[in-house]
Amino acid sequence: MLKIDNVTMKFGGVVAVNGFNCYIENGQVVGLIGPNGAGKTTIFNVVTGVYKPTEGEIIFDPEGKEEKISKLRPDQIAKLGICRTFQNIRLFKELSVVENVFIGSHLRLKSNVFSSIIRLPKYNNEERQMMEKAFYLLEKVGLYEEKNEKAFSLPYGKQRRLEIARALATEPKLLLLDEPAAGMNPQETQELMEFIAEIKEEFDLTIFLIEHHMEVVMGICEKILVLDHGTLISQGSPQEIQNDERVIEAYLGVE
């Protein structure tokens, strides 16, 4: 589904990512781990079009139609089926829960601006379908009862679910989760793991995630990539990664 081919990202003289290669197959849950400052979020920003890579290519191929996406804008990449959440939750906090999810559906809106201004029947029909979709997604993520509450009033764990629901409203094929368990207690973390497994099956998703909670990574990922100082130092199954001396050294150092 996704191939990152020899991608390098430089900021002036600083090399944040150096010759990164990986591929993600359809239906996989792939984890990206590494010490703080390793370049993990930079890779997410390159994949989603926030940054244009200095070198290399990114190819998205969800349905047998290869698309080179390295030079596309974030909105164009999202329309192809790649969406993300953020390490620091980015909700429209003063809007209601359902309005946050409703906004995500606008990416698939077919009516033009003129239709929306004068409220043509076609636009009204689309808007009604978008609201029904928002209610459906809130049911799936367990937030339907809070649909009219302000987003900022939700507990932290539910705000995470809301951000994921908004991402699902864009109808992604590949969902990128940037530290979804950050700030969660053990019970919330366990619930999140179960939730990610559920939405993967329910919405037929491929998932690429960054996470520092090793129990999450080891518990739900089929393949793990390890980044250190912008360079891929290891990849493999959870068992292989746990026993890789290079990974242990990157995290714990050596005497």
Side-chain angles (χ1 to χ4, degrees):
M1 176 168 283
L2 184 75
K3 181 179 180 182
I4 303 176
D5 186 16
N6 201 34
V7 162
T8 294
M9 187 71 222
K10 297 178 181 179
F11 299 98
V14 177
V15 181
V17 176
N18 185 22
F20 183 80
N21 290 283
C22 84
Y23 65 90
I24 297 174
E25 294 182 5
N26 186 34
Q28 279 188 319
V29 179
V30 176
L32 179 61
I33 67 172
N36 287 330
K40 303 182 296 295
T41 296
T42 299
I43 288 173
F44 269 29
N45 286 337
V46 170
V47 171
T48 55
V50 177
Y51 301 146
K52 303 294 183 288
T54 308
E55 300 172 15
E57 188 61 78
I58 300 171
I59 299 168
F60 185 50
D61 183 15
E63 298 171 343
K65 300 176 183 178
E66 289 192 355
E67 294 267 2
K68 292 184 177 182
I69 63 173
S70 307
K71 294 180 173 60
L72 299 183
R73 301 188 310 267
D75 62 297
Q76 293 172 320
I77 291 172
K79 283 184 178 179
L80 288 174
I82 299 177
C83 195
R84 70 175 293 182
T85 64
F86 294 86
Q87 181 179 350
N88 298 315
I89 297 173
R90 298 186 185 179
L91 296 172
F92 299 100
K93 294 187 177 182
E94 294 296 330
L95 297 182
S96 70
V97 168
V98 70
E99 286 170 336
N100 268 272
V101 182
F102 179 80
I103 285 170
S105 297
H106 275 78
L107 185 70
R108 302 297 173 189
L109 191 65
K110 296 181 175 62
S111 300
N112 56 32
V113 175
F114 178 75
S115 299
S116 66
I117 291 173
I118 65 171
R119 311 292 298 187
L120 290 178
K122 179 184 177 183
Y123 174 80
N124 290 336
N125 184 49
E126 274 197 280
E127 189 176 63
R128 183 173 60 255
Q129 292 175 351
M130 286 160 57
M131 187 59 74
E132 290 172 356
K133 177 179 168 184
F135 287 143
Y136 168 78
L137 289 171
L138 289 177
E139 278 193 39
K140 290 297 180 181
V141 302
L143 293 176
Y144 185 79
E145 296 301 320
E146 293 92 345
K147 60 182 179 295
N148 294 318
E149 294 184 18
K150 298 289 188 184
F152 73 83
S153 71
L154 294 181
Y156 187 82
K158 289 188 175 182
Q159 287 191 27
R160 281 283 179 201
R161 285 181 177 241
L162 177 56
E163 191 179 36
I164 292 173
R166 186 179 60 189
L168 292 175
T170 69
E171 301 177 13
K173 300 177 179 71
L174 174 64
L175 178 62
L176 279 62
L177 303 175
D178 193 347
E179 295 198 36
M184 291 187 176
N185 61 40
Q187 180 180 342
E188 289 173 329
T189 299
Q190 181 60 40
E191 290 173 354
L192 177 76
M193 291 170 63
E194 294 169 2
F195 173 64
I196 291 173
E198 288 170 6
I199 64 168
K200 175 187 179 296
E201 295 302 320
E202 177 75 24
F203 296 97
D204 192 24
L205 296 172
T206 301
I207 296 176
F208 190 20
L209 68 88
I210 295 171
E211 189 50 70
H212 282 293
H213 283 63
M214 286 300 104
E215 65 269 29
V216 174
V217 177
M218 298 299 170
I220 66 174
C221 293
E222 303 155 55
K223 176 180 175 182
I224 299 172
L225 312 169
V226 188
L227 201 65
D228 187 33
H229 294 94
T231 301
L232 183 67
I233 62 169
S234 184
Q235 60 180 309
S237 68
Q239 293 75 20
E240 290 169 333
I241 295 302
Q242 279 181 314
N243 298 311
D244 192 318
E245 291 183 2
R246 293 168 297 177
V247 177
I248 296 169
E249 181 180 336
Y251 273 96
L252 303 178
V254 293
E255 188 175 1

